[in-house]
Amino acid sequence: MLQAEIKSLLKEDISILIKIPNSAKHYLCDCGEASLLTVKEVQSVSAIFISHTHIDHFSNFDGIFRHQIGSGEKIVICGPKNIHHQIEARLKSYTWNLIDENAIEYEIREIISKEKINIYKIRPPHWNLELATTQNFLFEDESVNVEFAILDHKTDSIAYLFKEKDSVTFNENASEFKKGKWISELKLAFENSGSNKEIQIEETVYKASDLFHFLTRNAGYKLGVIMDHAVCEDNYEKIKAVFYGADMVYIETFYKDEDQEFAKINYHSFASASGKIMKECKVQEAIPIHFSRRYVENDQLEIETAFYKVFKEIN
């Protein structure tokens, strides 16, 4: 299943690396200062997901692309409105006369609304933006689908849900037939709703639907990352719509409960509020992240204690 690693220490800005099992590809959530993030990991990142472009979530973008230039790869960057202009400005602020145009390509996916994603392409050395198309989904590859919620942080703040593709397994113990290519054909028919497809096993032809009982669909693991957001009902309704029933969610918990007035002023969350919404979403596991830099380890422990007290509370 998907694995997430927090690459930032307590007083560093947030960055989370998501690793795909049995793959060399990684995803990166936010580009804050992250001393635990290695060059090798950066060079394995195929997609970057930016919640918003406050400096503590975007300041290390230069350090990321520095280690990606020259790879020749296409790297996807997803983010809120105007992310394409901000990336363009960062890239154009340097001199690239020694860089070939095939050194890298960034595909920027600007989230306008739940139904509208603008797709831009940008390449060295001139880094001129090209609007390629507009689509109604954010991200999908061979491993995951990514859904999102647009939350209020006095600016758009994107929360992401990474959902592994469902898998189909064959129950060997339930079948007396010999193994063969018919199993893969059956799985394909199952996945494509091909109930009437003919499946030949040895000398006999069967209707695919008559063999479906040998298969089990396994729901893909769902991993969420919810960054900065105000404590308000509108945000919570959006969170519930996307993250309900997720397996694991990392959620911003910037302030202690005693500092919740600061949370209100700064459109952030606090310990018990984040714990409560995760409980209401009935997620299997939740981890509070992204604490104010004013805090030390004892404060972090206090936040975690208050968070889990609410999240794990038995009704």
Side-chain angles (χ1 to χ4, degrees):
M1 60 187 180
L2 298 172
Q3 297 178 334
E5 297 178 5
I6 300 173
K7 292 297 178 178
S8 309
L9 300 176
L10 176 59
K11 287 186 175 291
E12 294 178 343
D13 298 329
I14 192 68
S15 191
I16 298 178
L17 188 70
I18 297 178
K19 295 184 175 180
I20 308 168
N22 303 314
S23 173
K25 289 184 178 181
H26 300 332
Y27 309 131
L28 188 66
C29 292
D30 281 350
C31 296
E33 177 187 11
S35 61
L36 301 179
L37 189 64
T38 68
V39 172
K40 183 178 180 180
E41 288 171 334
V42 170
Q43 292 173 339
S44 298
V45 168
S46 62
I48 300 171
F49 297 85
I50 303 295
S51 62
H52 62 296
T53 52
H54 284 165
I55 192 168
D56 55 329
H57 294 259
F58 199 49
S59 62
N60 195 38
F61 180 73
D62 295 31
I64 300 300
F65 74 67
R66 179 178 187 177
H67 296 303
Q68 293 175 333
I69 290 291
S71 68
E73 299 289 334
K74 182 180 83 170
I75 297 170
V76 174
I77 304 174
C78 301
K81 292 175 185 176
N82 296 317
I83 186 73
H84 60 303
H85 287 311
Q86 291 170 298
I87 290 173
E88 178 189 31
R90 300 288 286 269
L91 293 169
K92 283 187 172 181
S93 68
Y94 296 95
T95 301
W96 299 100
N97 61 301
L98 301 179
I99 299 299
D100 183 83
E101 65 177 5
N102 296 316
I104 199 168
E105 177 183 333
Y106 284 114
E107 181 175 292
I108 304 169
R109 303 186 180 186
E110 179 198 22
I111 299 170
I112 303 299
S113 68
K114 287 289 286 185
E115 295 78 29
K116 183 179 180 181
I117 313 295
N118 287 337
I119 310 297
Y120 296 87
K121 296 184 183 298
I122 190 168
R123 302 176 69 101
H126 303 296
W127 303 108
N128 294 319
L129 277 171
E130 171 195 349
L131 177 60
T133 188
T134 297
Q135 62 190 36
N136 60 5
F137 69 95
L138 182 62
F139 184 89
E140 180 178 4
D141 62 12
E142 66 276 9
S143 301
V144 302
N145 293 310
V146 180
E147 299 178 23
F148 64 93
I150 305 173
L151 305 182
D152 180 22
H153 180 49
K154 207 174 182 180
T155 186
D156 285 356
S157 180
I158 313 299
Y160 297 101
L161 179 71
F162 299 83
K163 184 180 183 299
E164 283 185 317
K165 300 289 183 69
D166 292 349
S167 62
V168 177
T169 54
F170 175 73
N171 187 351
E172 296 182 22
N173 297 327
S175 170
E176 296 179 356
F177 297 123
K178 291 182 179 179
K179 291 182 181 179
K181 68 175 184 179
W182 68 269
I183 296 177
S184 59
E185 293 174 353
L186 180 64
K187 287 183 178 181
L188 187 62
F190 183 79
E191 290 171 346
N192 296 327
S193 302
S195 300
N196 295 321
K197 181 176 175 56
E198 294 183 343
I199 304 294
Q200 182 171 339
I201 306 175
E202 298 178 355
E203 304 301 321
T204 306
V205 175
Y206 298 87
K207 187 179 176 181
S209 59
D210 293 334
L211 303 172
F212 283 168
H213 63 279
F214 293 137
L215 305 177
T216 301
R217 182 182 296 278
N218 307 295
Y221 188 80
K222 293 187 288 187
L223 173 67
V225 177
I226 303 173
M227 292 295 187
D228 302 6
H229 62 284
V231 174
C232 66
E233 194 56 37
D234 185 54
N235 276 344
Y236 286 169
E237 289 303 314
K238 293 176 181 178
I239 289 172
K240 290 175 187 176
V242 174
F243 296 90
Y244 191 90
D247 294 285
M248 169 72 82
V249 177
Y250 291 77
I251 182 168
E252 177 252 321
T253 314
F254 204 71
Y255 287 107
K256 299 191 293 185
D257 279 7
E258 66 185 57
D259 292 331
Q260 61 185 270
E261 192 59 35
F262 289 116
K264 182 178 180 180
I265 293 169
N266 295 310
Y267 287 71
H268 271 291
S269 188
F270 54 91
S272 61
S274 290
K276 184 173 184 289
I277 185 57
M278 290 293 91
K279 180 178 176 61
E280 292 177 358
C281 284
K282 297 187 183 300
V283 303
Q284 297 300 308
E285 296 182 70
I287 296 179
I289 58 168
H290 190 33
F291 313 114
S292 169
R293 294 170 77 104
R294 70 168 64 196
Y295 295 143
V296 296
E297 289 184 8
N298 286 341
D299 296 309
Q300 178 180 341
L301 180 60
E302 182 179 332
I303 289 173
E304 291 172 342
T305 300
F307 175 92
Y308 287 116
K309 180 180 180 181
V310 175
F311 174 60
K312 296 182 177 180
E313 180 182 30
I314 300 175
N315 293 327

